[in-house]
Amino acid sequence: MASLRLPRFHTLLKTNSRLLQAQQRRWAQVHDVRFLATHRDPQQILDKYKDKLQQKAREEGHESVESLKEAYKEKIAEYRSNASTIATPEPGPQSASPSPSPSPSPSPSSSSSTTSTTSTTSPPPSPIAAAAKATSGPPGIKPLSSYLDVEKILALPAKEIEMLWRLRHANNPRSICAVIPLDTYQRMAAAARSNPQFILPLPRQPAENKQAEGEQEEGGADIHFLQWGFHPPASPVSSSSAAAGESTANTHASTIMFTQLAAYKLHGSFAQPHTTITHHLDLADEKGVVLMVGQVMPDVGVSVAEASWLVSCVQRFYDFDGEGSGRKGELLRMFTNGDVEGFKVEDLMEETEKIS
């Protein structure tokens, strides 16, 4: 990964405003792909594992295999439901290729469904949208319940929750996690909605062999581009709060994607991020904390320690009640406004060096 030197930062300033322009949206055509499933005779499977099933039934005090199946009826139905795939919807009339031959007249039932479809301007739901609706959460974001038992940890104090959250990710060498006070996160989120994009320099030390030879070389830095995203809550709001009509802080789940600036300038919104951060607000109402988790992709030229340093810079630039209320906040706003004259990468480097 090429390293940018301080004398070359002047040329980068001329292109900063381009990052703030609207990205060109490209629409990909989704082809209807069918999956084939093979099914075995259930009786053959029962005959094959008959002895083991009978042994299992005796161990649990059942008189027969049928009694064992009845006891596990609900669990078997749950497994079958989770294992079932979401069917790909039929292509709508808008996506169908034109045919020279006239189409047959629809039946009364299909005619009514066609009328309801053509009366709206929205296209038919895609498989991705159907999958997201089935999981009742934004695509690509795991709910907090996939990491912790939310109902159980609600009975614990915030300090123990923080300890459990860190232990939960301790065995993942590519993971980043933190627990953020709710008021701090809300200030950061408010600033992020007004300033969803920014750049951060990652300092690089000169090569050790040149330092040993006594050569004078300025320290360089790699520039990384970050972008916030706000999505519906990954976990639904508790039914008790919704029934009582109480206000809740769990109104969204937010993400931050870090991408090398050179890759973003080349590929735009299709650039592959090297680090993705997610904020979960499930415990914001009861415990006043936001749980953050991130994943650093392997073989991207960025270590977990370097990614953690970039994440720490985000709070210092976006917390307008803390360090972000000073010069760091000014640089953030100037970048958003495309102020090429006022925004200096040298000043950005100087502010990031102040972060201990």
Side-chain angles (χ1 to χ4, degrees):
M1 179 170 55
S3 178
L4 299 178
R5 304 298 176 186
L6 282 175
R8 301 179 185 176
F9 283 165
H10 296 283
T11 60
L12 178 63
L13 290 176
K14 300 178 181 179
T15 62
N16 283 342
S17 59
R18 299 177 185 175
L19 297 175
L20 306 176
Q21 299 174 358
Q23 294 295 323
Q24 179 182 2
R25 297 185 178 272
R26 304 177 184 176
W27 301 98
Q29 182 180 3
V30 179
H31 296 277
D32 189 25
V33 181
R34 299 295 177 182
F35 294 90
L36 298 179
T38 58
H39 302 277
R40 297 182 180 179
D41 186 2
Q43 188 60 40
Q44 294 180 358
I45 300 176
L46 290 175
D47 293 341
K48 183 178 180 180
Y49 297 100
K50 182 178 180 180
D51 295 337
K52 292 184 178 180
L53 289 173
Q54 290 178 347
Q55 181 181 356
K56 179 69 174 179
R58 289 193 299 268
E59 290 177 355
E60 296 195 6
H62 295 281
E63 297 179 356
S64 63
V65 176
E66 294 299 328
S67 177
L68 178 66
K69 289 171 59 179
E70 186 66 25
Y72 282 86
K73 182 178 180 179
E74 295 183 359
K75 183 171 293 187
I76 293 173
E78 180 182 354
Y79 285 156
R80 287 178 177 175
S81 176
N82 294 337
S84 61
T85 58
I86 301 173
T88 306
E90 293 289 343
Q94 298 177 355
S95 61
S97 59
S99 173
S101 60
S103 59
S105 59
S107 61
S109 60
S110 62
S111 175
S112 61
S113 62
T114 304
T115 303
S116 62
T117 302
T118 56
S119 63
T120 178
T121 58
S122 60
S126 64
I128 297 178
K133 184 177 180 180
T135 54
S136 67
I141 299 181
K142 292 183 179 180
L144 185 62
S145 57
S146 63
Y147 299 103
L148 297 172
D149 190 328
V150 179
E151 296 297 331
K152 289 184 178 180
I153 64 175
L154 283 174
L156 301 176
K159 286 294 184 181
E160 293 187 18
I161 294 177
E162 179 177 357
M163 183 184 304
L164 289 174
W165 184 243
R166 296 184 183 279
L167 289 175
R168 174 63 178 80
H169 303 282
N171 294 330
N172 187 349
R174 312 296 304 180
S175 176
I176 302 174
C177 68
V179 177
I180 306 174
L182 178 59
D183 55 348
T184 300
Y185 170 80
Q186 288 178 333
R187 292 193 300 266
M188 294 169 55
R193 292 183 184 276
S194 303
N195 308 273
Q197 299 175 344
F198 195 48
I199 59 173
L200 288 172
L202 181 61
R204 296 292 188 185
Q205 296 297 329
E208 295 181 0
N209 56 348
K210 292 187 177 182
Q211 286 183 341
E213 295 172 2
E215 297 183 12
Q216 297 293 328
E217 182 181 357
E218 293 180 342
D222 298 328
I223 305 299
H224 295 260
F225 175 77
L226 69 90
Q227 185 170 14
W228 284 76
F230 293 89
H231 319 276
S235 300
V237 180
S238 62
S239 57
S240 59
S241 299
E246 300 176 356
S247 60
T248 175
N250 185 23
T251 58
H252 65 276
S254 66
T255 57
I256 310 175
M257 292 187 294
F258 294 86
T259 312
Q260 296 172 5
L261 181 60
Y264 185 82
K265 290 170 65 178
L266 182 63
H267 302 289
S269 58
F270 295 96
Q272 179 68 30
H274 60 74
T275 303
T276 302
I277 301 297
T278 304
H279 299 98
H280 295 279
L281 282 75
D282 301 62
L283 308 181
D285 296 328
E286 293 82 357
K287 301 300 178 182
V289 294
V290 176
L291 302 185
M292 185 210 79
V293 62
Q295 186 73 18
V296 183
M297 299 297 293
D299 304 323
V300 291
V302 177
S303 66
V304 177
E306 292 170 338
S308 300
W309 189 84
L310 290 173
V311 173
S312 68
C313 290
V314 173
Q315 178 176 343
R316 289 164 172 81
F317 277 89
Y318 277 85
D319 185 2
F320 283 179
D321 193 44
E323 295 187 50
S325 59
R327 178 60 176 167
K328 292 180 176 63
E330 294 178 3
L331 291 171
L332 179 62
R333 286 185 284 264
M334 284 190 292
F335 181 87
T336 301
N337 297 329
D339 186 358
V340 181
E341 297 296 329
F343 185 88
K344 303 295 183 182
V345 179
E346 292 87 347
D347 296 341
L348 183 65
M349 286 285 296
E350 182 180 352
E351 289 299 320
T352 54
E353 288 176 357
K354 294 178 181 179
I355 300 176
S356 56

